[in-house]
Amino acid sequence: ALLMLFLGAALEVWQSTRNRTAEWVDLYADAAGIVCFTAVFACFDPRIPSPRQGWLSQRRLAFVSVAWFLLGLLPLLQTLQLYQGRWAILPSLIDWREPWLEKFYYVQYASLEVEDPPDDWPTLNPHPEKVAKIRLYPGRYPGFVFTEPHGNWSAYQLLEIDLMFPESVPENLFLRIHDVHHTGDYSDRFNCECHVQTGFQTIRVPIASLVTPSGRELDLENIDGLALFTFESQGEFEMYLGDIRLARPL
């Protein structure tokens, strides 16, 4: 059992070097499975005392195994709830009102607060109840990273991103999109520079244009992430990020 737990921990460390993240919840699931299997095995081991011969009885071990099995299901049920919420908001990819959303994004060299949209957010556009106020700080790649959005974009023609720069704009703003086959290389993901200005704007990207610099078309049924970021920003900039949605169904 200890050897299997060690192998599980080693696998998590190895994943962190292969464009994936190590998760404590995965190690917990490994431990729950090991304890559950060990307890079930012990229920049939004749060396374990009978139910009337002490606290380490087969009946108690059976109870422990069932309890650990149910506890091991909790992360799975929570994950299913997260993905169900992701499905429910289509064709939007983001709804800043939803608490589960924070499991799918992070910022780097930046801060993010969810709040009401600014007063000058256009009413003719879809007017969200909440937006993300993102402050970009000096750094190599300040920005917003959205992991595991709804992955099947094949039934739509456009990706639309609503954002606003209330005062000033950074020297550059890039959009990066990758699929599950992404190797981690720049040449194996879609990259484009967004031409932005002060005020509200909607970035529109044709889905058909999602091609890597090496010429590979992204797998539109398995999109795995996107990011909005600046490169080597030298100042602080405030950006409001609203809806990110798929548009024009085929």
Side-chain angles (χ1 to χ4, degrees):
L2 292 177
L3 176 61
M4 296 303 296
L5 187 60
F6 173 79
L7 290 176
L11 181 60
E12 291 301 312
V13 173
W14 178 79
Q15 280 185 174
S16 67
T17 67
R18 307 296 295 181
N19 200 33
R20 296 184 61 184
T21 57
E23 298 284 348
W24 281 108
V25 68
D26 291 341
L27 189 58
Y28 164 76
D30 292 340
I34 291 168
V35 171
C36 197
F37 173 80
T38 303
V40 170
F41 179 81
C43 288
F44 300 95
D45 191 335
R47 294 170 294 180
I48 300 297
S50 66
R52 298 179 180 273
Q53 293 180 335
W55 68 270
L56 190 61
S57 66
Q58 292 175 338
R59 181 178 297 174
R60 289 186 175 90
L61 286 173
F63 174 80
V64 169
S65 65
V66 171
W68 270 93
F69 175 75
L70 294 177
L71 286 173
L73 287 179
L74 285 179
L76 175 61
L77 295 176
Q78 292 170 345
T79 300
L80 290 175
Q81 185 179 21
L82 292 177
Y83 285 101
Q84 190 279 332
R86 192 187 67 172
W87 271 92
I89 64 173
L90 278 174
S92 290
L93 300 178
I94 276 184
D95 185 342
W96 294 107
R97 299 171 301 175
E98 298 292 343
W100 53 262
L101 181 64
E102 63 184 23
K103 302 295 184 181
F104 291 102
Y105 73 78
Y106 62 91
V107 293
Q108 52 192 21
Y109 296 106
S111 63
L112 185 151
E113 298 178 5
V114 176
E115 57 183 48
D116 295 333
D119 293 336
D120 51 349
W121 193 278
T123 56
L124 294 179
N125 276 72
H127 197 76
E129 294 187 24
K130 295 292 182 181
V131 298
K133 179 182 178 181
I134 302 175
R135 179 166 290 277
L136 304 171
Y137 301 112
R140 185 165 177 78
Y141 295 111
F144 167 80
V145 181
F146 189 20
T147 62
E148 293 189 65
H150 186 276
N152 191 345
W153 296 10
S154 61
Y156 298 88
Q157 299 183 57
L158 282 178
L159 172 69
E160 297 183 337
I161 303 173
D162 294 336
L163 53 83
M164 174 186 286
F165 287 96
E167 298 177 354
S168 58
V169 298
E171 298 87 348
N172 52 66
L173 183 71
F174 294 96
L175 172 65
R176 183 191 80 201
I177 302 173
H178 66 270
D179 59 17
V180 296
H181 311 293
H182 181 39
T183 63
D185 295 332
Y186 174 87
S187 62
D188 197 49
R189 61 179 179 242
F190 172 79
N191 310 277
C192 76
E193 183 171 2
C194 305
H195 300 285
V196 293
Q197 57 190 5
T198 304
F200 178 87
Q201 54 231 277
T202 298
I203 298 172
R204 293 183 173 88
V205 180
I207 299 295
S209 70
L210 299 184
V211 180
T212 70
S214 62
R216 182 177 71 84
E217 295 182 359
L218 294 191
D219 182 352
L220 298 180
E221 295 186 355
N222 290 286
I223 300 299
D224 196 44
L226 66 84
L228 277 171
F229 62 95
T230 67
F231 175 64
E232 293 187 343
S233 175
Q234 298 302 314
E236 293 188 13
F237 300 92
E238 190 174 277
M239 175 178 74
Y240 288 92
L241 180 60
D243 195 14
I244 301 179
R245 61 186 173 272
L246 302 170
R248 295 187 188 175
L250 294 172

